[in-house]
Amino acid sequence: MSGNRTFTMIKPDAVAAGNTGAITKMIEEAGFRIVAMKKTKLSRERAGQFYAIHKERPFYEDLCNYMSSGPIIPMTLEKENAVEDFRTLIGATNPQEAAEGTIRKLFATSIEANAIHGSDSDENAEIESNFFFSRTEQF
Ligand code: UDP
Ligand code: MG
């Protein structure tokens, strides 16, 4: 993937609130091309696998329960400098600290239910995309 792809999920709170279209529009208007996209739901076990890196954190159990509570929209995205530019577009983890105009500032309801995920590195973008999509689904 070498620097031009990232992975995102619109999280259960934002899907349930009917914000999928508005968020996807912001992503495309920011210059990201959708490489893969679907609507799905994580089991509690799969949510635990996705967030295994946070296993020792105090918020892990709640996070896994929340992330498996309803449908999500995973997407692989492409743009020059994708990982960093997408983190800028979504804003800080805590929506109270997120910059004006960012997706989390506009749509997140709490530090947990913060509307959207964004990969933190090129390596994790590839791992996370492959968690949801086969290679032939990413085009
Ligand atoms: N999270 C939480 N409480 C915290 C920190 C994080 O519930 O104190 C949740 C939140 O949904 C966040 C996810 O765990 O998006 C992953 O945390 P991370 O630190 O990786 O934040 P992100 O990379 O999503 O900004
Ligand atoms: Mg993270």
Side-chain angles (χ1 to χ4, degrees), residues 54 87 117-118 120:
H54 293 310
R87 296 289 307 200
H117 170 82
D120 62 9

Side-chain angles (χ1 to χ4, degrees), residues 52-65:
I53 192 168
H54 293 310
K55 204 158 44 192
E56 308 305 330
R57 308 281 287 277
F59 59 81
Y60 176 72
E61 287 298 325
D62 284 347
L63 173 63
C64 294
N65 290 335

Side-chain angles (χ1 to χ4, degrees), residues 83-95:
V83 167
E84 189 185 343
D85 286 1
F86 195 73
R87 296 289 307 200
T88 301
L89 179 66
I90 69 177
T93 308
N94 184 347

Side-chain angles (χ1 to χ4, degrees), residues 14-29:
V15 175
N19 291 324
T20 298
I23 290 171
T24 304
K25 186 165 190 275
M26 283 184 70
I27 291 170
E28 288 193 308
E29 286 181 349

Side-chain angles (χ1 to χ4, degrees), residues 63-82:
L63 173 63
C64 294
N65 290 335
Y66 155 63
M67 284 302 298
S68 57
S69 68
I72 58 167
I73 314 277
M75 291 183 232
T76 300
L77 302 172
E78 189 170 82
K79 182 186 180 296
E80 195 180 308
N81 201 36

